[in-house]
Amino acid sequence: MVAQPERNLILLGGPGAGKGTQSQRLAVRFGIPQISTGDMLRAARREGTPLGKEADKYMAAGQLVPDSVVIGLVEERLKAADTKPGFILDGFPRTVPQADALSAVLKKLGRGPLRVIEVAVAESVLHERLGGRISCPKCGASYHVKFTPPKVADTCDTCGTKGLITRADDKPEAISQRLREYADKTAPLIDYYTKAGLLKRIDGVGDLEIVLGRVVQALDG
Ligand code: AMP
């Protein structure tokens, strides 16, 4: 059997660009884990760990959690054996120091090169998508009242919990803050990875399967 090359992927894009949804699909397609720092932080928050309590202050306000916290989480996760064939980073890196730290970690672990896909979506569309987001308070699965509603109203498809909620960071003030954080701290990574010759940009607006097709084509091309 011919060994598959490592697929070390980053999906980059604003909050609500569809990184989570696309990452989940890519993970299944390529048989590699999705690593979402947002999901990891929300899990820590639900469990009430010291890290979760610390992160909560920032997350509820739509601010980025300090670099040192998320870098530590990702470094630990990348040491796990299931990431050897590759991984999909969703929501990390979000700042230049995080991107620098990631390169250093991959080098230290002797891992192959990165590929970065920018899922491009206009800010007005991000606003609309984030505005209608509802989530399961138990398992964290997320839906959109208009675009991807749950099968049974107000009920989680994944775990059956009734009473879906608007996350604190999906409330209007936090949404504006998250978009500002993206523009100020994360968007510079587009330039960073373009200069490194690692980035490909795809149009993130359209049917989920069509967007997935664009991502796969960008990776295969
Ligand atoms: P997400 O689900 O990826 O939109 O992340 C939700 C929230 O978690 C963000 O608004 C941040 O507060 C925090 N967060 C997730 N990933 C990072 C990261 N790489 N750096 C800093 N904060 C993060």
Side-chain angles (χ1 to χ4, degrees):
M1 213 173 81
V2 182
Q4 291 291 317
E6 276 177 50
R7 285 193 190 263
N8 301 334
L9 313 178
I10 295 177
L11 286 200
L12 196 61
K19 302 184 298 292
T21 313
Q22 296 301 336
S23 299
Q24 278 165 15
R25 286 172 160 72
L26 289 168
V28 173
R29 190 175 181 119
F30 296 138
I32 53 180
Q34 170 201 15
I35 302 177
S36 157
T37 42
D39 285 351
M40 290 161 101
L41 292 168
R42 278 186 288 277
R45 221 166 43 163
R46 278 197 299 277
E47 285 156 20
T49 65
L51 186 145
K53 287 185 182 143
E54 166 75 5
D56 182 54
K57 294 184 279 189
Y58 300 94
M59 294 172 80
Q63 292 165 359
L64 292 186
V65 170
D67 287 337
S68 55
V69 174
V70 278
I71 289 169
L73 276 179
V74 172
E75 178 162 11
E76 276 314 300
R77 183 66 186 85
L78 289 176
K79 287 181 189 158
D82 67 334
T83 66
K84 287 262 164 64
F87 51 81
I88 305 166
L89 287 170
D90 155 18
F92 182 94
R94 258 176 155 106
T95 64
V96 169
Q98 289 180 20
D100 287 339
L102 176 63
S103 300
V105 167
L106 293 176
K107 198 167 169 202
K108 193 163 83 185
L109 297 175
R111 309 298 295 273
L114 276 169
R115 307 190 59 189
V116 184
I117 301 289
E118 181 202 351
V119 183
V121 177
E123 195 175 311
S124 55
V125 178
L126 296 180
H127 248 294
E128 191 190 12
R129 288 187 182 174
L130 292 172
R133 196 143 86 169
I134 45 174
S135 308
C136 174
K138 191 163 170 225
C139 76
S142 82
Y143 306 91
H144 191 283
V145 284
K146 186 163 141 198
F147 306 123
T148 50
K151 292 193 185 84
V152 178
D154 204 30
T155 306
C156 180
D157 290 352
T158 310
C159 72
T161 298
K162 281 199 189 317
L164 301 178
I165 55 158
T166 300
R167 274 167 25 189
D169 58 337
D170 285 332
K171 302 228 158 99
E173 323 75 69
I175 289 174
S176 301
Q177 179 63 29
R178 286 164 70 195
L179 290 168
R180 270 199 301 274
E181 292 276 69
Y182 177 74
D184 293 348
K185 298 180 184 156
T186 310
L189 293 180
I190 295 169
D191 214 33
Y192 178 102
Y193 284 122
T194 302
K195 284 193 178 127
L198 301 175
L199 184 132
K200 283 199 181 161
R201 176 177 224 242
I202 61 116
D203 177 4
V205 180
D207 182 84
L208 295 181
E209 294 302 325
I210 292 177
V211 176
L212 179 66
R214 290 180 194 140
V215 176
V216 171
Q217 201 181 16
L219 290 170
D220 289 344

